[in-house]
Amino acid sequence: MTDTGFTLTVDQNKYLPPGASEMAAVLAVECTTAQAPDAEVAEVIVIDRSPSMGGSKLAEAKRAAKAALDALREDARFAIVAGGHDAREVYPGGGALATATAEHRKNAAAAIDKMVIGNLTYTGVWLRCAADLLASRPAAIGHVLLLTDGMVNQDAASYTADLDYCAGKFTCDAVGIGTDWDPDELKQIADRFQGTRAFIEDLADLTDYFTEVCGKAMGKAYGDVAILVKTPVDAALTSLRQVYPTLQDLAEHRRDADARGALFPLSAWGTETREYLLEVSGPAWPVGEELRAAQVLVVRGPDREVLARGNVLMCWADDPVRTGQVNPKVAAYTGQERIAEHVTAGLAALAAHDPATATSHLGTARRLAGEVGNEGTARILDRLVDFDPGTGTARLKPGVSAADRFQAEVGTDRTVRTPTKRTEQP
C-alpha cells in the first residue's frame, strides 16, 4: 500500500481457552501530515456571556480569545460568537467567517473588547450558530471552542434539537470555568462532537488553554476519516471505544455500512496517535481453529478509500501459558476505564454524603492510577484521598472542595499511552 499518512497497529493476545468466545484488542491509529496538502480550516470561538460571567471571568475570557487569534493560520477562517439567550456574532458578523489576516485579527480583538454581559445559557443556540457559520465554508475542517461557566438554561427539547442539528458538522472542545457548570453537560458535548472537555481552575491559565486548543485545530489535515469494522457471520462486534488520549464511547457514532460492517466516523486528524479498544464475540470454535474475527479498515471519504488495515484474530488453544497471558495494552486501558468508573461512583457517593463508599471507590481509583502509570490522574486523586501505596489503603481528605471534585471528574477523561506489544499477524 502506498503511503497514505495513516498506519494501524493491532495489539492483542489472540489465544483463547476452549469454550471462550470474547476477544479484546487495542487499535493504534497513527497519522502524519508531513506529506499532506494544506487543508482548509475554520475556527469558531464561542464565549458565554451570561450574568455569572461578570468581572474577572469575562475579562480573562476576552484575553484568552484575543490570544487565540494569534494561534490561527493566516489562511484560516474564523468567527467570534457571544452566547446568552441568543448567539451574537461578535466578529465578523453577517453569517460569515473572516480570513485570519492581520487586519481581521486586529478588528476581531477590538470587537472582543466590546463584549458585554447578556443573559441565560442557551448553549444549543450557540452551537447551532457555529454550525451555520461553518456551513459557509463546507470544504473546511470546522472546529468550535466553547467556554461556559453555567448550566444549560435551554429547555430539553430545543437543546436536543440543536445538538441533533449540529451533529457531524464540526469538532468541539468545551471548557468550564468556575464551579457552577455541569460536567455531564460538557461530557455530552465532547462525546457528541468528538472533542474534549476541560476544567480551568485558575483563570490565569485560560489563555494558554485557548492558544493550545486553537493551535491544534490549525494542524488538522484530514477530514472525513472513519474506522470500518467488518465481521464474518461467525462473529459480532460488541463495542469500539476510544481509550487514548481521552476516554470516549463511539457507540452513538456507529453507522451500518452493510450487513456485516459497522462504520465509525472520527473527527479530523493532524499529526497524532489515537488508540481504540475493540471487543468482539465469536463462536467458541474447537481447539486449533483460528478465526479472523474482525477486519479493521481506516477509510476516508464517501468512496471509503482504505488508508490502513489490520485484523483481529481468535485462536483456540489448550495451552494455559498462551491463553493465560493478558495483552499489556488491553489490560492497561481496561484499567484506565475502571479508574473513571470508580471516580464517578466515588463522587456520586460524596454528593450523597456517604464517605465510606466514596473512600472505597476513590481509593480503588487511586490504586489503579498507580498501577497503570497515570501520574496525572494520581495527582488529581491525591486532592481527594490520602493513599498509602504500601498497604493500598486510602483515607478521604477533609474539606474536599467543588474544584477538587471537578478536577477529578474531568481529569479522568485523559489517559496515558501504554507499553506496546504487537501481536504478529499471519
Side-chain angles (χ1 to χ4, degrees), residues 47-172:
I47 304 296
D48 183 348
R49 63 185 187 98
S50 58
S52 57
M53 279 288 294
S56 60
K57 287 182 182 178
L58 187 60
E60 289 297 331
K62 289 180 177 182
R63 189 165 73 92
K66 289 187 291 184
L69 296 174
D70 292 331
L72 302 178
R73 290 177 2 202
E74 283 200 356
D75 62 342
R77 305 287 175 140
F78 78 98
I80 310 295
V81 172
H85 73 281
D86 58 1
R88 297 194 177 183
E89 297 175 31
V90 173
Y91 194 85
L97 296 169
T99 306
T101 61
E103 181 179 2
H104 278 301
R105 294 174 204 238
K106 179 180 178 181
N107 293 338
I112 289 170
D113 281 332
K114 296 177 182 177
M115 283 176 56
V116 296
I117 291 297
N119 57 10
L120 301 178
T121 307
Y122 277 33
T123 312
V125 173
W126 312 346
L127 293 175
R128 180 184 282 263
C129 176
D132 289 340
L133 287 167
L134 293 169
S136 68
R137 303 295 299 184
I141 296 174
H143 178 262
V144 175
L145 172 54
L146 168 69
L147 178 142
T148 186
D149 81 327
M151 292 183 282
V152 176
N153 300 138
Q154 198 173 352
D155 69 90
S158 65
Y159 181 59
T160 299
D162 285 337
L163 296 188
D164 290 343
Y165 176 84
C166 297
K169 296 180 179 178
F170 53 75
T171 302
C172 180

Side-chain angles (χ1 to χ4, degrees), residues 239-241 248-255 264:
S239 68
L240 180 67
R241 306 187 296 278
Q248 199 167 92
D249 194 345
L250 301 181
E252 71 172 298
H253 299 284
R254 176 173 177 165
R255 306 287 184 269
F264 296 84

Side-chain angles (χ1 to χ4, degrees), residues 264-300:
F264 296 84
L266 307 175
S267 57
W269 287 72
T271 296
E272 60 189 293
T273 299
R274 302 179 203 169
E275 300 196 337
Y276 304 87
L277 183 64
L278 180 145
E279 294 176 330
V280 291
S281 60
W285 278 0
V287 168
E289 296 290 336
E290 182 170 297
L291 170 70
R292 185 172 74 173
Q295 181 184 28
V296 182
L297 306 171
V298 181
V299 299
R300 184 186 181 200

Side-chain angles (χ1 to χ4, degrees), residues 9-12 24-28 243 275-278 329-330 333:
T9 303
V10 179
D11 281 278
Q12 65 167 141
V26 171
L27 315 175
V243 289
E275 300 196 337
Y276 304 87
L277 183 64
L278 180 145
K329 291 179 75 70
V330 172
Y333 283 129

Side-chain angles (χ1 to χ4, degrees), residues 213-387:
V213 169
C214 286
K216 287 181 179 179
M218 294 301 101
K220 300 303 182 183
Y222 297 99
D224 201 13
V225 176
I227 289 178
L228 175 60
V229 181
K230 295 183 177 182
T231 54
V233 293
D234 304 280
L237 173 64
T238 304
S239 68
L240 180 67
R241 306 187 296 278
Q242 180 177 290
V243 289
Y244 175 84
T246 58
L247 297 176
Q248 199 167 92
D249 194 345
L250 301 181
E252 71 172 298
H253 299 284
R254 176 173 177 165
R255 306 287 184 269
D256 290 331
D258 51 45
R260 304 304 308 170
L263 189 72
F264 296 84
L266 307 175
S267 57
W269 287 72
T271 296
E272 60 189 293
T273 299
R274 302 179 203 169
E275 300 196 337
Y276 304 87
L277 183 64
L278 180 145
E279 294 176 330
V280 291
S281 60
W285 278 0
V287 168
E289 296 290 336
E290 182 170 297
L291 170 70
R292 185 172 74 173
Q295 181 184 28
V296 182
L297 306 171
V298 181
V299 299
R300 184 186 181 200
D303 296 332
R304 297 177 188 165
E305 172 195 2
V306 177
L307 307 175
R309 66 177 73 233
N311 296 319
V312 176
L313 307 176
M314 301 175 76
C315 183
W316 289 266
D318 56 7
D319 180 352
V321 175
R322 281 183 166 181
T323 62
Q325 294 177 352
V326 179
N327 180 272
K329 291 179 75 70
V330 172
Y333 283 129
T334 301
Q336 293 190 77
E337 288 185 317
R338 288 175 59 205
I339 291 171
E341 293 169 359
H342 281 290
V343 168
T344 298
L347 294 176
L350 270 181
H353 305 289
D354 183 355
T357 301
T359 301
S360 175
H361 282 293
L362 296 173
T364 300
R366 176 60 179 82
R367 175 179 58 79
L368 289 170
E371 290 177 357
V372 301
N374 193 330
E375 296 179 0
T377 295
R379 285 192 298 270
I380 290 172
L381 292 173
D382 284 341
R383 297 173 57 164
L384 305 179
V385 294
D386 289 314
F387 179 73

Side-chain angles (χ1 to χ4, degrees), residues 28-59:
V29 181
E30 184 174 3
C31 172
T32 176
T33 61
Q35 304 299 321
D38 290 335
E40 183 179 357
V41 292
E43 180 75 26
V44 179
I45 299 174
V46 181
I47 304 296
D48 183 348
R49 63 185 187 98
S50 58
S52 57
M53 279 288 294
S56 60
K57 287 182 182 178
L58 187 60

